[in-house]
Amino acid sequence: KMRARHIVDEASQHMPFPLEDLIWDEQMISSDGIEENVLVFGLLRGQIVDFTKELMRRTKLKPSRYQPATNLEYQAYRYMTMGQADLPPTLLVNVGAYTTTLTVVHDRGFAVSNFAVGGNFISQKLAEATGIPFIAAEKKKNAYFSGELQFAQDDPTAAAISAAADAFARRIQREINLRL
């Protein structure tokens, strides 16, 4: 009861909306016996209702539980490694459009870190280097990395994508090193 009350108090101070307006949950990430790291997440009721209706309409699925992507990644990793003993700490990297999430999985749970660099970094660099609009750069980037589009070695767009991808890899590596 004391732990639950403390989580409610903390969540109410840090959520941007009143808890009664949210569908929210929490999951213990790790504990050393004294302190606990708890992941708390929430969605506005109206958003989850709209999302659920659209999801059910399009897929004919009926969701029974929503979890944040980090929790799903962690659960998928645990499922894939089920029964394996003495696994070393593992880093899961989820690159989104605007942010990247690092999830370090260890024997006591997982730890999460986010930073504001995502795949749009490459699109922006490509747009700047080639002078094309961001939307066009995004389409070229996606087509190139999916294998739908190929460039000749001497094509300036190929050089721009390669330079942007290299800069992105260096930035991701630097961010990972800072957090680990």
Side-chain angles (χ1 to χ4, degrees), residues 18-174:
L19 293 184
E20 58 273 7
D21 293 347
L22 301 174
I23 295 173
W24 69 281
D25 200 355
E26 47 86 13
Q27 178 175 344
M28 184 171 49
I29 298 171
S30 64
S31 174
D32 62 6
I34 298 170
E35 288 187 355
E36 294 178 341
N37 290 314
V38 178
L39 176 65
V40 178
F41 53 93
L43 293 167
L44 286 170
R45 290 182 187 281
Q47 289 176 333
I48 198 69
V49 168
D50 293 345
F51 175 79
T52 302
K53 285 179 182 176
E54 185 63 17
L55 180 68
M56 289 171 33
R57 184 186 70 74
R58 288 185 182 196
T59 65
K60 311 280 191 265
L61 295 175
K62 294 184 180 180
S64 61
R65 182 172 180 156
Y66 295 93
Q67 297 178 321
T70 301
N71 192 355
L72 294 174
E73 290 167 349
Y74 171 73
Q75 297 300 338
Y77 174 80
R78 284 295 181 208
Y79 178 77
M80 291 171 47
T81 59
M82 197 176 344
Q84 297 180 29
D86 300 324
L87 291 170
T90 301
L91 175 64
L92 307 175
V93 180
N94 182 341
V95 179
Y98 301 102
T99 61
T100 298
T101 302
L102 305 176
T103 305
V104 178
V105 180
H106 48 81
D107 60 349
R108 296 176 317 277
F110 64 96
V112 178
S113 179
N114 296 297
F115 54 93
V117 177
N120 281 352
F121 177 93
I122 296 173
S123 304
Q124 186 63 44
K125 293 289 186 193
L126 179 59
E128 291 168 4
T130 60
I132 62 176
F134 177 83
I135 298 293
E138 178 75 9
K139 287 180 181 177
K140 281 191 180 197
K141 175 196 77 173
N142 290 338
Y144 177 76
F145 286 111
S146 71
E148 295 173 23
L149 180 62
Q150 295 180 358
F151 298 105
Q153 283 291 85
D154 59 346
D155 188 312
T157 304
I161 287 178
S162 179
D166 289 346
F168 178 71
R170 286 190 304 274
R171 179 78 184 270
I172 292 286
Q173 182 178 20
R174 185 171 57 245

